[in-house]
Amino acid sequence: MENPYVIGIDIGGTNSVFGVVDARGTILHKGSIKTGTHEDVNEYIALLAAALKEIINKAGGPGNIKGIGVGAPNGNYFNGCIEFAPNLPWKGKVPLAQLISDAVYGIPVTLTNDANAAAIGEMTYGAARGLKDFIEITLGTGVGSGIVIGGNLVYGHDGFAGELGHVIIRRDGRVCGCGRNGCLEAYASATGVARTAREILVNRTEPSLLRELEPEKITSKDVYDAAVKGDKIALEIFEFTGNILGEALADFVAFSSPEAIILFGGLMKAGDLILNPVRRSMEENMLKVFQGKTKILVSQLKESDAAVLGASALGWEAKES
Amino acid sequence: MENPYVIGIDIGGTNSVFGVVDARGTILHKGSIKTGTHEDVNEYIALLAAALKEIINKAGGPGNIKGIGVGAPNGNYFNGCIEFAPNLPWKGKVPLAQLISDAVYGIPVTLTNDANAAAIGEMTYGAARGLKDFIEITLGTGVGSGIVIGGNLVYGHDGFAGELGHVIIRRDGRVCGCGRNGCLEAYASATGVARTAREILVNRTEPSLLRELEPEKITSKDVYDAAVKGDKIALEIFEFTGNILGEALADFVAFSSPEAIILFGGLMKAGDLILNPVRRSMEENMLKVFQGKTKILVSQLKESDAAVLGASALGWEAKES
C-alpha cells in the first residue's frame, strides 16, 4: 500500500504540535516546536521542516506520506494562507501551506482553521463517522465551529464560514474578544464560564466554595470542581451556560437541520453537568418541526490528540501524487 | 429538442397557481385552482390534474415536459410529502408528489417548500445565476429562506433545513405564529411591519398619517405609502425593521459566509426605505472577517410569476425519462 500515512499539524499561539497518523487515526510519531517565539515566519518554517523531516524519516520517508493537513487560527482553506490571526506572531497574510510544502519534499499541504479541522477529524475518526450533516462546536478558550452539510465542510465563498462562536446570543450582552457584544463565545467558552462565576458571586450573597478563590483567577475547572462537590452556585453556573448554549443550538438547527451536534473541548469534561441543561434548553427552544430529531453527542477524539488528528484528516484530501 | 419545458406549481393556502415554463424562465401557459376549498386531497388532485393536462396539451403534450416542480408550505424534498402544513386543508402527511405524478402521465414530480423553490428559481432564472453560495430570504406574510451552499440547496438531514424566519432575534420578544417568542418573522414580515406600526402608534404621541387608519387594519403597504410622503413614524418603522433584519443577516453570514443575500417578496416594494437600513445594520453587526464581503441583492424574479418560476426550476432536476 502506497502513502499509508498523513501528517497533522496543529498551530496554536504557544506551540505547534504535529504527528504522523495512519488511516485508523493512530498517531505513530509526534513532535512539537514553539510557535510564539518565531516572529520571522521563515525561521519558524525552517525549524518546523526539520522536525517534520525527522518524523517522516521514522515513518519510512516522504513516499509514505499522502498529504499534510494544518489546523491554524484564521486558516483559509481556499488559498492556504493564515490571515491576520491575532494570536500568532506573523502579520498580514502568510502563505503557510505553500511554505510548508516547499520546505518538506513538496508534499501537498491543506490548511483550514482549527474548528473545521476538528469537524473533519470527527468525521474521519470520531463521533461523526457515517454522518453527512452535523455541526461540531469546540468549547475551549473560545467557541469555534465546523459545519458539515451533505458530507462536505462548509467553507463559504471566502473560506471563513462557520464562525458560530460569534453569533449574537444576547443582544447588547457581554463584550466579546471580537469587539462586539453578546457573542455566544462570551458565554459558552471556558472563559465565559469563569465570567459567569464572577458575575454571580458579585451579584449574590449565598455561600459558595468559589468564594474561597481569588475572583480574577477562577477558571472553568474550579467551577467544575465545586459543582461535583454539590456547590449550588457552581451548579447554577453550568445550568446558565448550558441554557444559553442550548438556545444557540436551537437556532443553528433552524439553519442546517443537522442529524447531530457534536460538542468538543475542555468544557465537555463537565459531562452531564453541562449536557443536561444543553439538551433540555435546545429542545425547549426548538421550532416544532425540528424537535426530538437532532442528537447532542460528545466528541470521540481524545482531547490531547484531537487537534493533530483533526488536522491530519485534511491530509487524506490530498490528490494522489 | 426533447422535453423543452417544465411545469411549476405553487400551492398556497388559498390558490394553487401553475404554469408551463421554458428554459429561459418564460411562462408560456398558466392556470389556477382553489386550494382551501378541497378538504379531500383526492378531489383536489383530480381537479389539479385536469387543469394541468389542459396546459400540457397546449404545450404539445406530455412528451414536451421534463418534470414538474412543486413549492408548498412544509413541503419535504426527500419524501415528496407535505407534512402538517397549518395553512393547508389536509391533515397529517400527504404524499403530494406521488399523487400528482400518478395523476399526470407519470411525469416526475419534485417538491420542496416555497422559500427553497424561490432560491432555486433565483439560481436558475434570477439574481443568483452563477452564484454558488447565497441565501434567499422571502419577506412576505411570513419570513422564509432557502440556503444554497456550493451550488446545492441545503435540505438538512430531514428535508426541513433553512427556517431562518424562526431564528430568535429578540430573546423573549414578540409572540410568533409558531408559538415561540422573538422570531425574525415576528418583526421582518409584512405582518411584523404592521405590528411595529401599531406598537409605535400606541407608545408615542407624534402625529402621523398612519393615525388616520384603524390600527388593526394597518398593512405594510399603508406604512410604505405614508413613508413615501415623508411621514416620520412610517420612515422610522422601516428603519426599525431594516435594523433588525440586518442584525439577523449578520448572524446568518457567520454561518455560511454567502457571496450574496437575496431579498424577495412584498416588503421589497419599499426599496431603499428598507434596503438602506438593512445594509447599514448588517455591516455594523458583522464580525470583522466578513465585513464588506456579502452583497445584499433584490430578487430578479417578477413577483406575480416568482412562485411558479421557482417551483418550475425544480422540474429541471428530474432525471431524463
Side-chain angles (χ1 to χ4, degrees):
Chain A
M1 186 173 133
E2 280 205 70
N3 303 138
Y5 306 128
V6 287
I7 287 178
I9 308 176
D10 176 58
I11 301 182
T14 312
N15 294 306
S16 296
V17 190
F18 38 85
V20 174
V21 179
D22 71 12
R24 292 183 173 190
T26 309
I27 301 182
L28 304 171
H29 311 284
K30 283 188 202 184
S32 77
I33 64 168
K34 295 272 173 209
T35 312
T37 49
H38 303 289
E39 298 214 356
D40 179 349
V41 72
N42 294 309
E43 189 189 305
Y44 169 80
I45 293 288
L47 265 171
L48 179 68
L52 288 174
K53 284 176 177 173
E54 206 174 296
I55 60 169
I56 289 170
N57 282 337
K58 284 188 194 162
N64 277 348
I65 308 294
K66 185 167 162 63
I68 297 175
V70 183
N74 287 32
N76 189 317
Y77 177 80
F78 290 146
N79 59 19
C81 293
I82 293 182
E83 304 188 17
F84 310 97
N87 298 322
L88 296 182
W90 318 304
K91 304 291 159 240
K93 200 166 165 173
V94 181
L96 209 79
Q98 191 62 54
L99 291 173
I100 295 174
S101 181
D102 289 350
V104 188
Y105 309 117
I107 296 172
V109 177
T110 309
L111 180 147
T112 190
N113 76 40
D114 22 6
N116 287 346
I120 295 172
E122 205 74 64
M123 192 160 44
T124 313
Y125 316 111
R129 273 173 298 180
L131 295 186
K132 293 276 177 204
D133 295 279
F134 71 97
I135 301 177
E136 179 104 1
I137 306 278
T138 63
L139 302 158
T141 314
V143 174
S145 66
I147 302 163
V148 173
I149 291 179
N152 296 307
L153 202 108
V154 175
Y155 292 106
H157 84 290
D158 63 347
F160 289 116
E163 285 290 352
L164 300 186
H166 295 284
V167 159
I168 306 298
I169 193 70
R170 286 288 178 273
R171 208 52 60 183
D172 305 315
R174 290 181 186 168
V175 173
C176 178
C178 73
R180 302 178 311 151
N181 289 80
C183 293
L184 179 61
E185 173 165 305
Y187 297 88
S189 59
T191 44
V193 167
R195 285 172 82 171
T196 302
R198 286 190 285 276
E199 275 185 22
I200 294 189
L201 291 172
V202 167
N203 294 329
R204 301 254 295 272
T205 55
E206 297 101 306
S208 166
L209 295 167
L210 295 170
R211 296 200 187 276
E212 294 165 15
L213 305 168
E214 248 183 89
E216 286 313 309
K217 291 191 177 158
I218 291 176
T219 65
S220 62
K221 172 80 166 54
D222 297 325
V223 181
Y224 172 71
D225 290 342
V228 293
K229 289 177 191 153
D231 186 88
K232 278 199 182 160
I233 294 272
L235 289 166
E236 189 182 325
I237 292 165
F238 281 114
E239 227 7 77
F240 174 87
T241 307
N243 193 47
I244 287 199
L245 181 54
E247 288 174 1
L249 298 186
D251 278 348
F252 302 164
V253 169
F255 205 100
S256 66
S257 190
E259 191 173 346
I261 294 174
I262 300 173
L263 303 180
F264 168 88
L267 219 54
M268 282 305 99
K269 291 199 191 95
D272 285 345
L273 290 176
I274 181 96
L275 282 167
N276 287 342
V278 167
R279 289 195 172 111
R280 181 192 39 68
S281 163
M282 181 179 84
E283 289 299 333
E284 278 174 13
N285 286 283
M286 197 101 94
L287 190 64
K288 198 172 208 100
V289 69
F290 299 120
Q291 280 170 8
K293 289 183 181 175
T294 300
K295 293 188 280 275
I296 300 281
L297 303 176
V298 176
S299 170
Q300 288 174 10
L301 301 176
K302 207 177 109 195
E303 212 195 336
S304 59
D305 293 340
V308 168
L309 277 182
S312 81
L314 274 173
W316 299 114
E317 290 185 11
K319 295 217 174 65
E320 290 290 344
S321 53
Chain B
M1 182 174 135
E2 278 206 71
N3 301 138
Y5 308 127
V6 287
I7 287 178
I9 308 176
D10 175 60
I11 301 182
T14 312
N15 293 306
S16 296
V17 190
F18 39 85
V20 174
V21 178
D22 70 14
R24 295 183 170 187
T26 309
I27 301 183
L28 304 171
H29 311 284
K30 283 189 204 182
S32 77
I33 64 167
K34 294 275 172 208
T35 311
T37 50
H38 304 288
E39 298 213 358
D40 178 349
V41 71
N42 293 309
E43 186 189 306
Y44 169 80
I45 293 288
L47 264 172
L48 179 67
L52 288 173
K53 285 177 175 173
E54 205 174 299
I55 61 169
I56 290 170
N57 282 338
K58 283 187 193 163
N64 277 348
I65 308 295
K66 185 167 164 59
I68 297 176
V70 183
N74 287 30
N76 188 316
Y77 178 80
F78 290 146
N79 59 18
C81 293
I82 293 181
E83 304 188 17
F84 309 98
N87 299 320
L88 296 182
W90 317 305
K91 302 294 159 239
K93 199 165 164 175
V94 181
L96 210 80
Q98 191 61 53
L99 291 173
I100 294 174
S101 181
D102 289 349
V104 188
Y105 308 118
I107 297 172
V109 177
T110 308
L111 179 146
T112 190
N113 76 39
D114 23 5
N116 287 346
I120 294 173
E122 206 74 64
M123 191 159 47
T124 313
Y125 316 112
R129 273 174 297 181
L131 295 186
K132 293 276 178 204
D133 295 280
F134 71 96
I135 300 176
E136 179 105 2
I137 306 278
T138 62
L139 303 158
T141 314
V143 173
S145 66
I147 302 162
V148 173
I149 291 178
N152 296 309
L153 202 108
V154 175
Y155 292 107
H157 85 288
D158 62 347
F160 290 116
E163 284 290 351
L164 300 185
H166 295 284
V167 160
I168 307 298
I169 193 68
R170 287 289 178 271
R171 208 49 61 180
D172 305 315
R174 288 180 187 168
V175 173
C176 178
C178 73
R180 301 179 310 150
N181 289 80
C183 293
L184 179 61
E185 173 165 303
Y187 297 89
S189 60
T191 44
V193 167
R195 284 172 81 172
T196 302
R198 285 190 286 275
E199 275 185 22
I200 294 188
L201 291 172
V202 167
N203 294 329
R204 302 255 295 274
T205 56
E206 297 102 304
S208 166
L209 293 168
L210 295 170
R211 294 199 187 278
E212 294 164 15
L213 306 167
E214 247 184 90
E216 286 312 308
K217 291 193 177 157
I218 291 176
T219 65
S220 62
K221 172 81 165 57
D222 296 326
V223 180
Y224 172 70
D225 290 342
V228 294
K229 289 177 192 153
D231 186 87
K232 279 197 182 161
I233 294 273
L235 289 166
E236 191 182 323
I237 292 165
F238 281 115
E239 249 333 278
F240 174 88
T241 308
N243 193 48
I244 287 199
L245 181 54
E247 288 173 2
L249 299 186
D251 278 347
F252 301 164
V253 168
F255 204 101
S256 67
S257 190
E259 192 174 344
I261 293 173
I262 301 173
L263 303 179
F264 169 89
L267 219 55
M268 283 304 100
K269 291 199 190 97
D272 285 345
L273 289 176
I274 181 96
L275 282 167
N276 287 342
V278 166
R279 289 195 172 110
R280 180 192 40 68
S281 164
M282 181 179 84
E283 288 299 332
E284 278 174 14
N285 286 284
M286 198 102 92
L287 189 65
K288 200 174 207 98
V289 70
F290 299 120
Q291 279 170 9
K293 288 182 180 173
T294 300
K295 293 187 280 276
I296 301 280
L297 302 176
V298 177
S299 170
Q300 288 174 10
L301 300 176
K302 206 177 111 194
E303 211 194 333
S304 58
D305 293 341
V308 168
L309 277 181
S312 80
L314 274 173
W316 299 114
E317 290 185 12
K319 296 219 174 66
E320 289 290 344
S321 54

